[in-house]
Amino acid sequence: MPSTSATLWIVATPIGNLEDFSPRASRTLAQVDVIAAEDTRYSGRLTRHLGIDTPMISLHEHNEQARIEQVIDRLAAGESVALISDAGTPLISDPGYALVRAVREAGFAVQAVPGPCAAIAALSVAGLPSDRFVFEGFLPSKAGARRARLEALADETRTLLVYESSHRIEKSVTDIAAVMGAGRAVGLCRELSKLHEQSVVMAASELAVWLAADDNRRRGEFVLVIEGAPPIERADADIPLDALLAELLSLTGTKQAAKAAARLTGRPTNEIYARALALGE
């Protein structure tokens, strides 16, 4: 391993099974001057298990801004710092982005010790297209905002990766079926690398029924791998816009009709929406 002086190390930690902890990650945590951990109590159990006694400070979503200056001061003094999250790769739906940006702007080195990441692990076992994908993190917790976000993603042709918690998983899958289509394929990966690991892939409507059938299926931490929307070929340029809009408006609402017409023609959505409103008057 290169010298750890004045370097911020981004260290991935196990998402479940401690056997996933790499020797390099263990050596890094033992050699740095301080570990910045999302939860020092949780991470303290990990370091004690590994026999590591490196001092630890907290760095989480509520104190990240306050910690940045402290970390940079340590780096300026020639110390090294390791950033770890509760599980997996830091910054992936976890704190750290603001710190990494500030450290780079201050001129110090940032290096990664790669390892487990729940999103990538789920993608690798779902059997859905993996050549192009989008990571969405957690969907909004409130129903209206969640459905609005899903509507914005409904036409995304790349595979979608979403994190979800146990108390919202059933509602989120139900919303996916309602907004993206009952037949949209969804992979559900639960408790990855842990004792009760489970993964299934089925149509969104079937997955909602599957979840409701057994309380145990709604326990733990989840990654959803959502099939991308099929690409739509653009309409023939000779088709008049008004005729296209009239046909779409007969099938759906103004907003959705305008959005579909924009995709089919390649023209600006705002322009087409205004025309759709005019046709509806």
Side-chain angles (χ1 to χ4, degrees), residues 52-136:
I52 295 171
D53 59 2
T54 303
M56 195 174 293
I57 61 172
S58 65
L59 191 149
H60 46 72
E61 61 178 332
H62 302 297
N63 74 349
E64 182 175 1
Q65 288 296 330
R67 288 289 192 220
I68 287 174
E69 185 176 352
Q70 298 175 31
V71 170
I72 290 178
D73 285 346
R74 284 179 175 270
L75 295 171
E79 294 186 357
S80 56
V81 180
L83 175 68
I84 61 176
S85 60
D86 287 351
T89 300
L91 280 75
I92 309 302
S93 276
D94 282 325
Y97 159 69
L99 173 66
V100 170
R101 181 176 60 180
V103 168
R104 284 199 171 277
E105 289 175 349
F108 296 105
V110 180
Q111 290 191 269
V113 181
C117 175
I120 300 304
L123 179 65
S124 71
V125 301
L128 293 173
S130 58
D131 54 337
R132 284 173 178 61
F133 59 90
V134 180
F135 176 64
E136 271 295 310

Side-chain angles (χ1 to χ4, degrees), residues 150-162:
L150 289 171
E151 286 178 1
L153 295 168
D155 294 331
E156 173 60 63
T157 58
R158 293 168 292 183
T159 300
L160 295 163
L161 304 178
V162 173

